[in-house]
Amino acid sequence: MTSTITNVQVANSTCSNYSKDRKVGEGTYAVVYLGKQLSTDRRTAIKEIKTGLFKDGLDMSALREVKYLQEMKHENVIELIDVFSASNSLNLVLEYLPCDLEMLIKEQSIIFKPSDIKSWILMTLRGVHHCHRNFILHRDLKPNNLLISPSGQLKLADFGLARSLGNPGEDLTSNVVTRWYRAPELLFGARHYTEAIDIWAVGIIFAELMLRTPYLPGKDDVDQLDVTFRALGTPTEQNWPNVSSLPLYNSLRVYPPPSRQELRNRFSAATEKALDLIIQMTQLDPNMRCASTEALLHDYFLEMPRATDPSELPQMPSKKKSEKNEPPQKKVKV
Amino acid sequence: MVEEMSRGNENKSDVKEDESASKKRVITRDDLYRRSSQFRMWSYTREGLDEQKFKVNEKGKSHALKEFAAALEKIRQTDETFNQFESELSADKLADLLTADEEKRYLIFYSENIIKLTNSFRMPTQVKATAMSFFKKFYLVNSVMEYHPKNVLYTCVFLAAKSENYFMSIESFCHPLPKTEPKDVLDLEFLVLSSLKFTLFVHHPFRPLYGFFLDFQTVLLHPETAIPNLKVEALCTLYDAAKKWLSEHALISDVGFLFSPPHIALAAMYDTNKKITEKYLKMKYFVSNTVEQKQEGGQSDNTKPPESEINSKNYELLLSTINECITLIKSTPKTTREDSTEIDKKCFYALNPERLIKKRLNKLKTAGTPA
Amino acid sequence: MLEGKVDKPLSNNTDGNHNTNMSLDGRVKDMCPICKTDKYLSPNMNFLINPECYHKICESCVDRIFSLGPAPCPYPGCGKILRQNKFKKQVFEDLGIEKEIDIRKRVSAIYNKTQEDFENLQDYNKYLENIEDIVFNLNNGINVEETQAALNKYEQEHKLEILEKNMRESQKNADLGKYREAMALLKQEKLSIQKQMEIEDQEYQAQQKQELLNKLSNSDNNNSEDIIAQANLNMIKRSSLRKRQLQQINSQLDQKYHLDSSGGKKKSSDKSKTPFTPFNGDRDLIKAYKFLPAVAENEPAVSDSKAETYYDPFVNKLALDKQYLGAGWRQQYIFKKALDEAFLGIGCFIEKEKS
């Protein structure tokens, strides 16, 4: 018996509600167009995902993006406006976000004031907090995935690696998060990690905002361990109980943890409270790392100067604004 | 500030809130649930659900009739003997379409197959429940007379496994399935996704059940035992039995569309052991002005204003909701093999009117009686 | 040998010999043309220049020639009257630039307006262009007298304005300077207090150790564990006490130094009127359940129903697995998550809400 794919009347929205004006990016499995939602004239980015490309059906990253973005409605998470199917391709209509934090960091002509950094970290933490209270790990936080809207709001994007916290006892893959932002428990191959891996990434991003250059750039997975521990000290059973039980643990070169003064010197622009927060977010032992709630309640956000209003945050100079919402590189599968 | 997402494919109205509540808006966990796609797009009233099923059945019928007419036309043009028997071959004489009730029973039969299939693959409960949810949702949008459940079932299970991080390659999936090629499963994947309106996240009652198991311990055992001789082992037994109850009864029924997951979980507890569950609910939610209540303790007493959304007014509502849920589950009919074979035949011919017409034509020819 | 070479070319530098001219320039740089002292011989020699004619003279010559009063410039052909107090060290290698900078300084002392004094950008640009014209003229010797006269006239007419502006600018700089000073002092004080506390702590620790040893040697075997446990407890209490003390002191210091954005713009004070909410109003504060406290980590979960924490044999067993613990897994998180999920939507009565 045959099952014909007829014009199923499932979605009221079809491609006729959206225009695809210009192609702005192409990846392994998706093409991104810039366009408009015709009913509201709202600018959108449409990610067109070709189905039938993979032998196991629809790609897992695409599935995850659709699955989680449908549930995460928040000011600091990218909005999935609509999804529709057209001629055997899956189309995600996302809000249009022209630039990301990585571009801002690299743009030499922009100066970051302490209040700007505070504002970005605040918005990032709010987005992360929303994911975590829905028990979803993002697992790929990095400046490249923190998009900035024209009104200055920062939004978490790219949920292709995201995942709900499973049942107790379930194994998770440790091969997640882009290397420079990977928490030490992941580097040690842990299979039962927690939301703390996202907090670590936010801490590293905080550092990068202050230094204007990546804080822990490892050349490969082994080097990443070295770079991380040189900066923050090698973990031992004393300061991280049970670390030696992790699958890939080995006592490499043992570096001493940095003193407070050394960290002050490294982050010369940080106030004492900012330094406090960074230290709390980059604790080696995931159990000692602060949670998103604690981070948001930290005194750093209460001390002067206050976080800049999003509308007053620096933006890319208009000539250099390239179109964002490019499709991600092929992700590692679970 | 909760924003309601309105989409073209949302069903029913937005949430209507209490006037008084909206004045002093506090975000609660319930509001988080209200933001989920399950609440926004896949929650119905009893009436609404029946209405939807009726609509789908009508759609299926009209589709089947169209196919029938097309097949009729085709045969008319290819077979010369057609004109002889034309009057015997009209739709009303020949086409035997499924009623809404028959569809319902047919689907229940296939739902049981989902349980069998996922068990044979040793898939976790989460995958089983999600596959069931996908399957039911598909047939809230399409009729069995448009797509036969057999392959849809396979695709739903495959998609659910992917969605719940229990990835299986298509080859290992198809290998134990009789007469099934990867193509059969993958071709439908896209269709299933769009029928689901691209919502893949399902909230099941299993985790809330576990949470209640823990909270029962807090309320009924600490600081002291609320029911004489109650031991924690009894709660464990209750939990295990309630879990089984959910797997065996709740999954097949439609309660996922009508009640929120905590309500279903509490229904499971209630039906398994009414005494313990009622005591728990009373201690937790039944607030009265008498001093006696205050002495009972075990209240969620670290709620200063604003208070929990559940108070004594809603306690009655909660109880009645739970009872409704149980009633519904108990009234879900079991479909026998004979029943389903009957309906299966009907369905096959609805989907393949050409075969039906040809068969009748041949029969008439051999019988040899002209119009 | 070198001296022999030095003497010859200097006596007549007009022979047009390119080579000797080059070497002459090289020598001139390191030698005062007046007293002919070589830098090579007296390395401490400094050169000064005078903005009148920009001729380079060594310090000792300036002293010798001009200390008795204004005198003409000793360079052949110059003869301008120079004053000793106008001599200064050369800042730029290129004398042309030095000259221009000096002119600019003079002119901007008079034309000292900044952008905020102008209503629109065009007017400000016109003003700046005017300044450029003046500087260009003076620098290249075009209409020098006229330009200078116009400059003087402008100065006279706008004397008050100029003074006012100067005052305002210096005020701003003073504020910024004060702020920086205050911050530096604050940091210093905090550091010194921290160091002090560390020393005190070390002393205290040493003292405690000694006491502990005394106690142990005096007591019998049965009590030793208790004593040690007690000592540890004391240490923990003390360290948290010290932390609190340090925090208190720090916040006091912050207040004292008015840790706010002083010297800042008016904008920030307006914004601070709206109170800051970290969650932007989006936070669930209602506790739907009471959470049982955790068992201390080094004690295994007890299966007795009287135990303080939740009973779940499966999870309790996982809590002993070091791989789980090392990755940050704690059974408390599992319990909390389950409880949160249990009440997610308990107040949503669908039949009611969807009709």
Side-chain angles (χ1 to χ4, degrees):
Chain A
M1 61 206 111
T2 55
S3 43
T4 50
I5 299 183
T6 55
N7 229 347
V8 185
Q9 272 189 339
V10 280
N12 292 343
S13 56
T14 60
C15 50
S16 60
N17 288 357
Y18 301 97
S19 65
K20 283 181 187 166
D21 298 334
R22 190 155 54 100
K23 191 203 282 203
V24 292
E26 189 153 5
T28 38
Y29 68 93
V31 183
V32 182
Y33 296 90
L34 216 53
K36 285 215 187 91
Q37 182 180 38
L38 296 174
S39 48
T40 59
D41 212 34
R42 180 181 178 185
R43 286 176 92 177
T44 58
I46 302 189
K47 211 186 231 187
E48 181 188 79
I49 299 169
K50 299 267 182 269
T51 54
L53 272 185
F54 297 103
K55 71 164 176 74
D56 296 305
L58 194 63
D59 181 62
M60 285 287 273
S61 312
L63 265 178
R64 281 195 205 107
E65 280 231 69
V66 174
K67 178 176 174 187
Y68 293 113
L69 282 179
Q70 288 267 28
E71 312 294 317
M72 301 271 98
K73 300 294 175 198
H74 191 269
E75 194 178 33
N76 297 116
V77 175
I78 190 171
E79 184 187 350
L80 180 67
I81 300 171
D82 208 346
V83 188
F84 63 87
S85 52
S87 57
N88 274 335
S89 66
L90 180 67
N91 294 268
L92 310 186
V93 183
L94 298 158
E95 58 176 316
Y96 169 66
L97 296 172
C99 88
D100 63 63
L101 206 56
E102 186 185 25
M103 288 156 86
L104 287 179
I105 291 177
K106 287 193 175 153
E107 178 55 43
Q108 306 277 8
S109 68
I110 303 180
I111 311 243
F112 290 178
K113 299 200 292 294
S115 53
D116 297 336
I117 297 180
K118 191 177 294 198
S119 183
W120 281 316
I121 290 295
L122 179 65
M123 291 192 280
T124 309
L125 280 172
R126 281 185 183 146
V128 170
H129 170 252
H130 184 65
C131 292
H132 288 180
R133 70 176 168 176
N134 284 298
F135 307 111
I136 292 173
L137 304 177
H138 184 282
R139 303 202 300 184
D140 198 15
L141 288 173
K142 51 179 175 174
N144 188 245
N145 283 341
L146 300 177
L147 307 188
I148 312 276
S149 77
S151 63
Q153 284 288 350
L154 180 147
K155 311 216 179 216
L156 266 58
D158 200 349
F159 279 72
L161 273 181
R163 191 203 141 113
S164 305
L165 278 177
N167 297 318
E170 212 177 319
D171 275 359
L172 306 168
T173 175
S174 59
N175 198 2
V176 291
V177 192
T178 305
R179 191 189 312 129
W180 296 348
Y181 305 89
R182 208 178 284 174
E185 64 266 29
L186 292 173
L187 295 171
F188 283 141
R191 313 294 304 274
H192 307 103
Y193 47 84
T194 62
E195 300 102 334
I197 62 169
D198 280 340
I199 298 294
W200 173 275
V202 179
I204 304 297
I205 294 171
F206 194 1
E208 188 167 334
L209 280 171
M210 285 201 266
L211 301 171
R212 291 303 281 270
T213 185
Y215 180 36
L216 304 173
K219 291 194 271 292
D220 53 53
D221 288 358
V222 178
D223 187 42
Q224 187 63 39
L225 279 165
D226 199 53
V227 169
T228 308
F229 299 144
R230 219 182 313 135
L232 296 167
T234 311
T236 61
E237 278 293 318
Q238 269 74 33
N239 58 24
W240 180 350
N242 299 305
V243 63
S244 48
S245 311
L246 291 175
L248 298 179
Y249 177 79
N250 61 52
S251 34
L252 311 148
R253 315 256 308 267
V254 179
Y255 298 103
S259 70
R260 179 100 183 186
Q261 189 54 40
E262 280 169 7
L263 287 172
R264 258 191 223 113
N265 293 341
R266 184 80 173 94
F267 298 104
S268 47
T271 64
E272 284 303 299
K273 298 213 167 103
L275 206 55
D276 246 350
L277 184 59
I278 284 204
I279 291 175
Q280 278 190 25
M281 291 206 278
T282 54
Q283 286 289 309
L284 291 167
D285 182 353
N287 204 38
M288 302 298 286
R289 244 172 264 160
C290 63
S292 54
T293 320
E294 285 154 39
L296 279 168
L297 293 170
H298 196 273
D299 276 344
Y300 165 64
F301 295 106
L302 294 170
E303 82 171 343
M304 283 296 168
R306 294 266 293 272
T308 331
D309 198 73
S311 54
E312 287 164 26
L313 283 170
Q315 292 267 2
M316 284 296 282
S318 21
K319 271 195 213 151
K320 296 189 188 176
K321 254 187 208 177
S322 63
E323 315 307 349
K324 225 359 220 167
N325 302 119
E326 280 146 39
Q329 302 310 309
K330 189 138 195 283
K331 300 286 182 204
V332 177
K333 295 197 179 154
V334 170
Chain B
M1 288 163 278
V2 178
E3 290 163 49
E4 300 299 340
M5 289 292 135
S6 51
R7 302 242 195 91
N9 43 8
E10 212 178 338
N11 66 321
K12 286 293 169 180
S13 54
D14 295 333
V15 174
K16 290 197 178 62
E17 299 153 1
D18 264 351
E19 305 300 346
S20 52
S22 59
K23 289 239 173 81
K24 204 179 175 189
R25 200 86 191 96
V26 175
I27 307 293
T28 66
R29 292 236 107 212
D30 294 339
D31 290 323
L32 276 186
Y33 180 68
R34 290 193 185 104
R35 287 190 222 185
S36 72
S37 60
Q38 178 160 321
F39 180 81
R40 283 181 290 120
M41 298 200 264
W42 294 105
S43 296
Y44 299 83
T45 58
R46 296 282 277 274
E47 236 180 73
L49 192 63
D50 287 336
E51 218 182 286
Q52 182 67 22
K53 289 193 178 175
F54 181 76
K55 258 198 253 168
V56 167
N57 180 254
E58 291 293 300
K59 178 159 95 91
K61 281 193 193 150
S62 71
H63 173 86
L65 285 174
K66 251 201 279 175
E67 293 289 299
F68 186 90
L72 210 61
E73 200 42 50
K74 187 163 164 223
I75 292 183
R76 176 201 301 275
Q77 285 169 2
T78 56
D79 192 336
E80 303 145 347
T81 56
F82 179 80
N83 293 327
Q84 270 188 299
F85 303 104
E86 189 168 348
S87 58
E88 291 295 313
L89 297 171
S90 64
D92 27 276
K93 282 221 181 141
L94 200 54
D96 193 6
L97 303 174
L98 288 97
T99 62
D101 186 61
E102 283 172 329
E103 258 197 83
K104 189 168 156 195
R105 286 189 284 134
Y106 195 42
L107 286 173
I108 290 175
F109 175 73
Y110 267 94
S111 302
E112 313 235 348
N113 278 353
I114 292 184
I115 298 188
K116 293 200 190 107
L117 183 65
T118 49
N119 281 342
S120 74
F121 276 120
R122 298 191 176 287
M123 289 176 169
T125 314
Q126 189 76 5
V127 179
K128 189 189 321 193
T130 304
M132 190 73 82
S133 173
F134 284 178
F135 187 73
K136 284 174 180 297
K137 285 171 182 167
F138 183 87
Y139 284 109
L140 266 189
V141 173
N142 307 299
S143 160
V144 299
M145 293 185 275
E146 292 174 282
Y147 302 97
H148 196 277
K150 175 158 163 280
N151 280 346
V152 174
L153 190 156
Y154 292 149
T155 310
C156 285
V157 174
F158 183 68
L159 194 59
K162 276 210 273 195
S163 177
E164 298 294 337
N165 285 297
Y166 195 82
F167 181 76
M168 282 184 86
S169 76
I170 191 70
E171 292 95 12
S172 40
F173 183 71
C174 289
H175 188 256
L177 302 176
K179 295 191 218 152
T180 313
E181 300 285 309
K183 188 174 171 310
D184 298 331
V185 177
L186 293 178
D187 275 352
L188 283 172
E189 195 182 37
F190 204 63
L191 178 65
V192 171
L193 267 175
S194 45
S195 307
L196 289 173
K197 303 174 197 174
F198 305 100
T199 57
L200 294 164
F201 199 112
V202 190
H203 294 267
H204 295 300
F206 295 95
R207 291 214 197 109
L209 186 74
Y210 179 64
F212 283 122
F213 163 60
L214 298 174
D215 206 32
F216 274 31
Q217 291 179 36
T218 315
V219 171
L220 298 174
L221 295 177
H222 301 95
E224 70 269 318
T225 326
I227 301 176
N229 296 324
L230 181 65
K231 288 227 185 326
V232 73
E233 283 79 10
L235 291 178
C236 291
T237 321
L238 169 58
Y239 170 64
D240 288 332
K243 196 159 155 202
K244 199 148 167 262
W245 189 94
L246 280 178
S247 305
E248 287 176 5
H249 305 296
L251 279 188
I252 307 265
S253 74
D254 283 335
V255 289
F257 295 115
L258 304 168
F259 301 97
S260 68
H263 294 164
I264 305 175
L266 284 172
M269 292 287 211
Y270 196 83
D271 198 49
T272 312
N273 188 323
K274 182 166 171 193
K275 180 170 161 216
I276 296 181
T277 315
E278 212 166 36
K279 183 79 181 167
Y280 166 79
L281 288 173
K282 272 223 177 79
M283 284 180 79
K284 196 145 174 102
Y285 295 120
F286 191 65
V287 179
S288 88
N289 289 329
T290 64
V291 178
E292 181 202 0
Q293 282 316 98
K294 285 189 187 147
Q295 281 176 349
E296 269 188 25
Q299 298 262 357
S300 44
D301 52 8
N302 36 10
T303 58
K304 301 165 196 164
E307 292 190 353
S308 167
E309 279 198 1
I310 306 282
N311 51 35
S312 52
K313 179 170 63 124
N314 284 335
Y315 168 73
E316 301 297 328
L317 186 55
L318 185 62
L319 213 51
S320 66
T321 311
I322 291 176
N323 279 313
E324 263 178 51
C325 184
I326 296 177
T327 319
L328 182 66
I329 290 181
K330 295 247 153 98
S331 67
T332 310
K334 286 252 182 228
T335 316
T336 61
R337 207 152 230 283
E338 295 80 36
D339 262 352
S340 78
T341 323
E342 250 322 293
I343 307 179
D344 200 31
K345 217 163 73 174
K346 275 187 172 183
C347 184
F348 176 76
Y349 284 126
L351 284 165
N352 298 281
E354 216 177 299
R355 299 269 290 267
L356 178 65
I357 300 173
K358 283 213 175 118
K359 180 167 150 208
R360 173 55 80 92
L361 196 53
N362 287 337
K363 202 158 144 201
L364 289 170
K365 277 196 253 185
T366 53
T369 48
Chain C
M1 278 204 303
L2 214 56
E3 289 168 56
K5 284 215 171 116
V6 163
D7 277 340
K8 251 194 178 172
L10 277 177
S11 43
N12 42 346
N13 59 352
T14 53
D15 62 1
N17 185 336
H18 200 63
N19 276 341
T20 42
N21 269 347
M22 287 290 285
S23 54
L24 177 62
D25 283 339
R27 288 290 171 271
V28 163
K29 278 204 173 97
D30 292 341
M31 191 183 71
C32 173
I34 316 299
C35 62
K36 315 264 195 285
T37 329
D38 200 317
K39 191 126 175 155
Y40 180 72
L41 295 172
S42 34
N44 296 330
M45 186 166 65
N46 287 328
F47 283 106
L48 301 176
I49 48 171
N50 194 303
E52 283 290 316
C53 59
Y54 290 91
H55 287 142
K56 201 160 70 170
I57 306 181
C58 82
E59 236 178 324
S60 29
C61 286
V62 171
D63 210 36
R64 196 188 61 243
I65 301 175
F66 299 100
S67 54
L68 300 171
C73 173
Y75 269 62
C78 181
K80 289 210 178 104
I81 306 293
L82 305 180
R83 301 194 144 66
Q84 186 182 21
N85 59 4
K86 287 281 194 300
F87 274 92
K88 62 171 178 138
K89 211 144 175 243
Q90 183 174 356
V91 177
F92 298 93
E93 185 143 338
D94 183 345
L95 278 179
I97 296 189
E98 185 86 32
K99 187 170 168 199
E100 186 172 337
I101 298 286
D102 288 336
I103 293 174
R104 275 191 194 277
K105 263 201 212 139
R106 270 197 295 135
V107 174
S108 34
I110 297 169
Y111 283 90
N112 63 352
K113 288 197 191 161
T114 55
Q115 184 164 7
E116 47 190 56
D117 296 320
F118 292 92
E119 286 206 355
N120 58 24
L121 192 61
Q122 261 194 322
D123 290 340
Y124 182 51
N125 285 340
K126 276 209 196 103
Y127 182 78
L128 287 177
E129 218 182 309
N130 191 21
I131 295 179
E132 287 305 312
D133 285 339
I134 296 176
V135 168
F136 186 80
N137 288 350
L138 289 176
N139 199 17
N140 296 316
I142 302 171
N143 294 338
V144 175
E145 279 173 23
E146 284 175 39
T147 321
Q148 188 63 47
L151 195 65
N152 292 339
K153 185 159 163 251
Y154 182 86
E155 188 177 2
Q156 294 291 7
E157 285 170 3
H158 297 94
K159 228 186 181 62
L160 275 178
E161 279 178 49
I162 295 171
L163 275 174
E164 230 182 308
K165 182 73 190 176
N166 275 341
M167 269 182 51
R168 266 188 276 144
E169 286 298 305
S170 67
Q171 173 104 47
K172 276 199 204 152
N173 289 340
D175 278 345
L176 196 60
K178 261 194 260 166
Y179 178 69
R180 288 218 188 100
E181 267 179 44
M183 288 312 299
L185 274 174
L186 179 64
K187 265 194 171 170
Q188 261 185 353
E189 273 201 49
K190 278 188 177 171
L191 261 178
S192 67
I193 288 185
Q194 208 176 337
K195 281 207 181 107
Q196 213 182 333
M197 282 188 90
E198 274 171 24
I199 295 176
E200 281 175 22
D201 280 335
Q202 274 178 349
E203 285 175 12
Y204 181 78
Q205 267 191 12
Q207 191 195 23
Q208 284 299 101
K209 252 193 175 166
Q210 192 56 40
E211 272 186 38
L212 186 64
L213 286 171
N214 288 345
K215 273 200 196 140
L216 283 175
S217 56
N218 287 343
S219 72
D220 49 52
N221 283 340
N222 291 345
N223 286 350
S224 55
E225 280 181 20
D226 289 338
I227 293 180
I228 292 179
Q230 185 66 27
N232 282 343
L233 210 61
N234 285 345
M235 284 307 293
I236 293 174
K237 277 193 196 148
R238 152 110 185 173
S239 64
S240 46
L241 178 69
R242 292 294 269 174
K243 266 193 208 148
R244 261 179 286 140
Q245 278 179 345
L246 185 61
Q247 263 182 358
Q248 262 186 353
I249 294 178
N250 277 342
S251 49
Q252 276 175 2
L253 278 176
D254 284 342
Q255 275 186 2
K256 178 171 150 208
Y257 281 84
H258 299 297
L259 197 68
D260 50 49
S261 54
S262 56
K265 297 140 198 165
K266 295 260 167 76
K267 275 190 206 163
S268 47
S269 54
D270 288 331
K271 288 280 155 70
S272 57
K273 281 181 192 153
T274 53
F276 170 69
T277 51
F279 295 90
N280 220 6
D282 185 4
R283 190 186 176 198
D284 168 25
L285 292 169
I286 299 173
K287 288 208 186 305
Y289 56 88
K290 196 172 107 185
F291 191 70
L292 289 184
V295 181
E297 279 209 357
N298 44 12
E299 289 172 35
V302 188
S303 63
D304 184 5
S305 65
K306 286 298 176 194
E308 276 306 307
T309 191
Y310 295 101
Y311 174 74
D312 178 348
F314 179 63
V315 171
N316 294 145
K317 192 162 137 224
L318 289 179
L320 300 173
D321 185 331
K322 295 204 171 146
Q323 263 204 35
Y324 279 72
L325 294 173
W329 191 99
R330 292 289 183 275
Q331 56 178 340
Q332 299 305 309
Y333 299 155
I334 300 291
F335 295 145
K336 196 157 179 303
K337 170 172 173 253
L339 285 162
D340 276 340
E341 278 190 291
F343 293 95
L344 187 79
I346 195 166
C348 291
F349 294 96
I350 294 182
E351 185 82 23
K352 196 169 98 175
E353 293 182 25
K354 284 282 178 176
S355 57

